[in-house]
Amino acid sequence: MVKLRIGHPEDPDYQERLEEFEARIARGEKIEPGDWMPAEYRRQLIRMISQHAHSEVVGMHPEGAWILRAPSFRRKLILLAKVQDEAGHGQYLYHAAETLGVTREEMLEALLSGRAKYSNIFNYPTLTWADVGIIGWLVDGMAIKNQTMLAQSSYGPYSRAMVRICAEETFHHKQGKEAVLLYAKGSRKQRQMVQDALNRWWWPTLMMAGPHDTDSPHTPLLLRWGIKTKTNDQIRQEFLNEHVPELLDAGLEIPDPHLRYDEKTGNWIHGPIPWDEFWKVIGGEGPMNRHRLETRRRVHEEGRWVREALEAYGRRRLAQAAD
């Protein structure tokens, strides 16, 4: 493992090194694991990357529940591939976080104990097959807006993980859109099913981008250090401008009576977001919070024998190499 070089405000050369660090970011250089970095830069990255990794892993569950109930063999294969991708995304991100000196065990313990956060969106149930399509088109659509921004992150391992993840998320987005458009043109029952799914997932999807910029205390520092290159509201606006026209063209009704198009700015303007619901879900009181954590704890325990077998195999290989 690369030795970390962490700076603290009380260090005598901290200010000088901080200026050099910020100048590198301003030039568009990537910060790598062995480079000097402020302790707060490292802390913010561990917080963000580990939460992102947890979201990918927990995010397997809402759609994974439909693998055995997919309406066709083709849809089953697509969904299997997607859920497998999400597991891989979690691996990429855990590896990226580990370059900052935090262990996989520490991150998983924080998740399983309930101390760590993950995306609010995965604490909602998938009630019908149409939910899988809406997740693919809208939830993954919002994720792509965020992840393409993070692909420009100043931290090299995070940026490179995002480039790889975005390529696969594009596939998820396309298959979700295809499914939704198919149902939107289908029977009356199919149209009702997909409209109901849109009604339930619309606001949680908008919340995915995070609180408004005025209520996001981390944003100024994340922008200053290039961890993020856009604000929450900018990402949300990009999502609206792309997806609202497409949803309306599909004949679907967006469940926002205040939604309007601003001719001057060319932006779609949404109505008040129900932030009370967002903070309730983030606080652990969403429809599926307890179930998601219980499932992760059970799966983690059931997989213990695999981890122990891998560790034993690793020890044996080391012993053989030493002989």
Side-chain angles (χ1 to χ4, degrees), residues 39-58:
E40 183 62 12
Y41 180 81
R42 174 180 178 267
R43 190 187 73 83
Q44 290 286 356
L45 279 169
I46 291 174
R47 178 186 66 82
M48 281 187 62
I49 300 174
S50 63
Q51 287 181 11
H52 197 161
H54 299 331
S55 297
E56 297 286 354
V57 171
V58 176

Side-chain angles (χ1 to χ4, degrees), residues 60-79:
M60 293 188 291
H61 295 294
E63 293 175 286
W66 281 89
I67 290 174
L68 298 180
R69 295 179 286 171
S72 69
F73 186 62
R74 175 175 177 268
R75 293 293 176 188
K76 187 188 295 289
L77 289 176
I78 291 172
L79 188 55

Side-chain angles (χ1 to χ4, degrees), residues 180-196:
V180 172
L181 293 179
L182 186 67
Y183 281 123
K185 297 174 183 177
S187 66
R188 180 171 175 271
K189 184 175 181 180
Q190 288 172 327
R191 292 195 301 272
Q192 288 176 338
M193 181 173 66
V194 79
Q195 181 64 58
D196 173 67

Side-chain angles (χ1 to χ4, degrees), residues 18-307:
L18 178 62
E19 290 174 2
E20 294 173 357
F21 171 82
E22 293 183 341
R24 290 188 60 195
I25 292 173
R27 291 193 297 267
E29 297 180 22
K30 297 295 184 187
I31 306 301
E32 298 297 341
D35 295 342
W36 185 94
M37 65 183 71
E40 183 62 12
Y41 180 81
R42 174 180 178 267
R43 190 187 73 83
Q44 290 286 356
L45 279 169
I46 291 174
R47 178 186 66 82
M48 281 187 62
I49 300 174
S50 63
Q51 287 181 11
H52 197 161
H54 299 331
S55 297
E56 297 286 354
V57 171
V58 176
M60 293 188 291
H61 295 294
E63 293 175 286
W66 281 89
I67 290 174
L68 298 180
R69 295 179 286 171
S72 69
F73 186 62
R74 175 175 177 268
R75 293 293 176 188
K76 187 188 295 289
L77 289 176
I78 291 172
L79 188 55
L80 278 167
K82 181 183 180 185
V83 171
Q84 178 178 276
D85 283 348
E86 305 298 358
H89 298 172
Q91 291 285 358
Y92 302 156
L93 291 162
Y94 283 130
H95 283 309
E98 286 171 333
T99 66
L100 292 159
V102 63
T103 68
R104 182 79 57 99
E105 290 74 20
E106 288 171 329
M107 290 184 280
L108 290 177
E109 192 280 328
L111 172 64
L112 299 175
S113 68
R115 291 186 292 108
K117 305 293 184 186
Y118 56 87
S119 179
N120 66 298
I121 200 72
F122 300 121
N123 288 312
Y124 291 88
T126 44
L127 302 181
T128 69
W129 175 253
D131 289 38
V132 175
I134 289 291
I135 290 172
W137 190 7
L138 300 188
V139 174
D140 291 339
M142 180 67 85
I144 288 171
K145 295 299 181 188
N146 186 54
Q147 290 166 352
T148 52
M149 176 271 294
L150 291 172
Q152 308 303 315
S153 173
S154 62
Y155 188 58
Y158 197 16
S159 172
R160 290 188 288 273
M162 285 296 99
V163 171
R164 193 169 180 178
I165 288 171
C166 285
E168 295 174 354
E169 288 290 356
T170 300
F171 153 72
H172 303 167
H173 186 247
K174 288 180 178 178
Q175 65 84 24
K177 182 177 180 179
E178 177 198 31
V180 172
L181 293 179
L182 186 67
Y183 281 123
K185 297 174 183 177
S187 66
R188 180 171 175 271
K189 184 175 181 180
Q190 288 172 327
R191 292 195 301 272
Q192 288 176 338
M193 181 173 66
V194 79
Q195 181 64 58
D196 173 67
L198 175 59
N199 293 346
R200 288 182 285 105
W201 288 93
W202 178 252
W203 291 112
T205 299
L206 291 193
M207 296 174 200
M208 264 184 78
H212 286 308
D213 297 343
T214 53
D215 300 317
S216 180
H218 298 295
T219 293
L221 188 60
L222 297 177
L223 292 173
R224 174 183 169 185
W225 285 343
I227 297 175
K228 292 178 65 171
T229 58
K230 296 178 183 177
T231 70
N232 297 347
D233 285 332
Q234 287 174 324
I235 292 168
R236 191 164 20 245
Q237 190 62 63
E238 289 180 0
F239 170 85
L240 287 166
N241 289 348
E242 176 181 339
H243 290 82
V244 167
E246 294 180 335
L247 288 165
L248 296 177
D249 287 346
L252 295 169
E253 181 179 341
I254 296 174
D256 179 357
H258 301 286
L259 183 69
R260 62 183 177 84
Y261 182 72
D262 188 322
E263 295 282 354
K264 292 182 179 179
T265 63
N267 290 329
W268 284 92
I269 309 301
H270 62 76
I273 296 176
W275 290 115
D276 287 347
E277 176 184 330
F278 173 79
W279 293 115
K280 181 179 178 182
V281 173
I282 291 296
E285 297 301 321
M288 300 294 287
N289 289 66
R290 291 182 178 84
H291 177 74
R292 297 286 183 246
L293 277 183
E294 288 170 0
T295 301
R296 287 312 311 163
R297 290 169 184 145
R298 175 177 56 79
V299 170
H300 187 74
E301 186 58 33
E302 289 175 353
R304 182 180 299 279
W305 70 272
V306 178
R307 297 191 298 277

